[in-house]
Amino acid sequence: MAPPPPSMAPRMTALILRVLTFAFLVASLAILTTNTSTLEIGDEVFKIRFKDVYSYRYMLAAIVFGIAYTVLQVAFTLNHIVKRNAQTSSDGNPVFDFYGDKVISYILATGAAAAIGATKDMKPLLTELGVNSFLNKGYASASLLLLGFVCTAMLSVLSSYALPKKV
């Protein structure tokens, strides 16, 4: 008698969390890359872009790494769900999932933390100069990145449960 097929619930949960992560990261990327503001000091006009803030650049790198990893994992998960034959009945590479989820979740968390900290530090100065929209978009982008981190952290926990079963 053949063993029962493995449950698809963990894979479907992982897929849903990865799609949510992807959505949060893409939204964060869109807000971050369109974050510009104009600052007028006397007769001079300055354009402030997200590229001018080093923490926002780090956040951009974290988002890009997160999107790349999430797309890769979504492809692996969809491949596993679609091809449920004897060759792919295992849950892929649980060690890669475990360490990948851990590393990416830490990258996303530090990207969000760096941006939130930098925005908080800039707030007293830029609020006096009337550039609140730039700061608010920075907070919005970092908050979405933080939500992406939460989803990836949940995936990290799920992958840690799968690890002892397969290794």
Side-chain angles (χ1 to χ4, degrees):
M1 180 173 234
S7 172
M8 291 306 291
R11 279 289 169 185
M12 292 304 289
T13 303
L15 181 62
I16 290 168
L17 284 170
R18 291 196 195 286
V19 168
L20 279 173
T21 300
F22 180 77
F24 288 136
L25 294 179
V26 168
S28 178
L29 179 67
I31 292 171
L32 178 65
T33 57
T34 60
N35 191 7
T36 61
S37 190
T38 304
L39 177 62
E40 296 180 20
I41 301 176
D43 294 338
E44 295 190 41
V45 177
F46 300 99
K47 189 160 190 162
I48 302 173
R49 296 175 184 86
F50 80 95
K51 297 184 281 188
D52 298 329
V53 181
Y54 287 116
S55 295
Y56 288 176
R57 289 184 198 179
Y58 178 75
M59 181 168 63
L60 175 67
I63 293 169
V64 170
F65 282 130
I67 288 174
Y69 176 76
T70 302
V71 167
L72 179 72
Q73 284 289 28
V74 166
F76 287 159
T77 303
L78 286 175
N79 183 46
H80 176 75
I81 290 171
V82 171
K83 295 182 177 183
R84 288 194 59 185
N85 59 25
Q87 293 175 344
T88 60
S89 63
S90 69
D91 284 337
N93 189 346
V95 176
F96 176 74
D97 291 347
F98 177 74
Y99 287 113
D101 290 342
K102 296 279 186 240
V103 169
I104 293 299
S105 66
Y106 290 142
I107 289 172
L108 296 179
T110 57
I116 289 171
T119 305
K120 184 175 179 345
D121 288 345
M122 290 186 296
K123 191 160 182 81
L125 174 64
L126 293 181
T127 300
E128 290 178 12
L129 299 173
V131 190
N132 282 331
S133 66
F134 182 78
L135 298 172
N136 291 339
K137 285 182 182 180
Y139 276 135
S141 182
S143 297
L144 288 168
L145 180 57
L146 194 60
L147 289 173
F149 155 71
V150 169
C151 290
T152 307
M154 286 191 271
L155 284 162
S156 177
V157 171
L158 290 175
S159 66
S160 69
Y161 287 141
L163 191 62
K165 296 177 189 174
K166 300 294 178 183
V167 174

